Amino acid sequence: MYVSMKEMLQKANEEKYAVLAINCFNLETAKAVIEAAEEMHSPIIVDLLQDHLKEHLDHRYLTQPIIRMANNAKVEVAINLDHGQDVAFVKQCLHEGFSSVMMDASMYPLEENIRITRTIVELAQVYNASVEAEVGDMGAVAGDHFTNDEMYTDPDDAIRFIQETGVDCLALSYGSSHGNYPEGYVPEFRFDIVKKIKAATNLPLVLHGGSGAGKENILKSIELGINKINVGSDFMKGQLEDVREQLANNLDVDYPTLIHHTMAAGKEVVKQYIELSGSKNKSL
């Protein structure tokens, strides 16, 4: 069932759970994610990062096969462009058949972010697609550029942004960072940011950098109104660890077997996060 994020996130909002968005970059990772969702009877979002599509495999070769997978799936599947920062590229992805796009103009001043996002919201309506955006500026673990206080979302800016753009969901910066955290590190979340924006708008809100954010942080986020959780690093980390284990046990393993085994490892990570997000058995 190929759908946009709009309906699945509205349902999650009403029933107070979150839908997972898993970063994929090829057919194998997308297949693993969709199969995990089917086994858990959960809606799922296949996130395709703009940088991956530009550097790894062009969206023109990747999108249509994943759409076919989604149409044949037993659960609702959305394909979302993650962190689309190039306006022309975002438009191409809508034309190519993405059911959802993230227009990430968060690096611009608020007025410009609103202007750019509103044009994409208007265009997406033509394609019956949903739009995610971001207010705030999340950091990344790489280079120790963790999210700091200056990067947090200003709730008043976010409320205005939602009212003036008509986005279907909004990503917030309230403590998480992109990437793999150091061993034992758990970020501190500013839950007051989520609470204020949710109370004023009741819009589905998004947590980016869900990997390693910590069980309690995730559960509290969902309780306060987060309805979409992005997970990429833990999904890929699970597969990478499986590669290491396979090669440690058998350096002569054939490549198809290696890849197939990593898909199974990735599925287990996705299923664990589905359980945590509360979306198990939430498919229509």
Side-chain angles (χ1 to χ4, degrees):
M1 291 182 279
Y2 186 43
V3 300
S4 77
M5 296 192 302
K6 184 171 185 175
E7 291 77 14
M8 64 168 68
L9 294 185
Q10 284 177 341
K11 183 174 184 289
N13 196 11
E14 291 167 4
E15 299 183 20
K16 300 187 185 308
Y17 63 90
V19 179
L20 283 184
I22 309 294
N23 280 114
C24 302
F25 61 91
N26 59 14
L27 297 181
E28 288 82 2
T29 48
K31 184 173 185 287
V33 166
I34 292 171
E35 286 181 356
E38 288 181 319
E39 291 173 18
M40 298 292 279
H41 307 287
S42 169
I44 200 75
I45 298 162
V46 173
D47 254 358
L48 299 176
L49 183 66
Q50 176 184 288
D51 288 352
H52 287 164
L53 293 172
K54 286 191 171 186
E55 297 170 10
H56 180 69
L57 187 61
D58 194 291
H59 66 92
R60 291 170 296 180
Y61 308 126
L62 193 58
T63 309
Q64 293 307 316
I66 299 178
I67 289 175
R68 283 196 285 274
M69 287 185 205
N71 277 320
N72 292 330
K74 297 172 183 148
V75 296
E76 301 94 315
V77 180
I79 299 177
N80 180 53
L81 173 66
D82 190 28
H83 288 287
Q85 297 181 337
D86 179 336
V87 172
F89 190 81
V90 173
K91 291 178 179 179
Q92 288 173 15
C93 288
L94 284 168
H95 182 69
E96 189 66 27
F98 278 64
S99 62
S100 300
V101 293
M102 179 185 186
M103 182 63 249
D104 181 7
S106 61
M107 73 292 297
Y108 295 107
L110 181 65
E111 296 282 353
E112 186 70 357
N113 191 356
I114 289 172
R115 185 192 67 77
I116 293 170
T117 304
R118 191 161 48 208
T119 63
I120 296 300
V121 169
E122 291 169 357
L123 178 63
Q125 291 171 353
V126 176
Y127 295 92
N128 198 28
S130 53
V131 178
E132 175 183 352
E134 181 171 336
V135 173
D137 182 22
M138 267 185 62
V141 176
D144 290 332
H145 296 145
F146 288 82
T147 301
N148 58 41
D149 291 354
E150 293 178 356
M151 299 177 181
Y152 288 160
T153 300
D154 182 313
D156 293 327
D157 285 350
I159 292 165
R160 179 188 165 197
F161 182 91
I162 290 166
Q163 292 170 342
E164 295 188 19
T165 60
V167 290
D168 297 291
C169 59
L170 185 68
L172 309 179
S173 176
Y174 62 103
S176 61
S177 299
H178 290 115
N180 291 308
Y181 295 113
E183 188 70 31
Y185 178 88
V186 178
E188 291 186 16
F189 278 12
R190 282 273 312 276
F191 293 112
D192 59 299
I193 293 173
V194 180
K195 192 173 182 180
K196 182 173 181 179
I197 297 167
K198 193 71 172 190
T201 67
N202 197 35
L203 189 80
L205 302 176
V206 183
L207 167 63
H208 280 230
S211 296
K215 179 180 178 180
E216 296 306 318
N217 278 338
I218 287 177
L219 291 176
K220 184 69 173 178
S221 294
I222 296 169
E223 178 189 332
L224 293 176
I226 292 293
N227 301 118
K228 174 177 177 276
I229 298 174
N230 284 28
V231 173
S233 297
D234 277 354
F235 176 55
M236 296 177 194
K237 182 178 172 184
Q239 294 169 88
L240 182 59
E241 289 175 351
D242 185 75
V243 169
R244 290 185 179 128
E245 185 176 332
Q246 287 189 75
L247 293 177
N249 293 329
N250 179 15
L251 273 175
D252 296 322
V253 61
D254 64 274
Y255 189 66
T257 300
L258 179 77
I259 297 303
H260 186 74
H261 208 275
T262 64
M263 290 169 63
K267 280 172 64 174
E268 288 308 307
V269 174
V270 175
K271 288 162 78 171
Q272 290 169 17
Y273 270 101
I274 286 174
E275 194 82 52
L276 183 59
S277 72
S279 64
K280 181 180 179 181
N281 294 324
K282 292 295 186 178
S283 178
L284 294 174

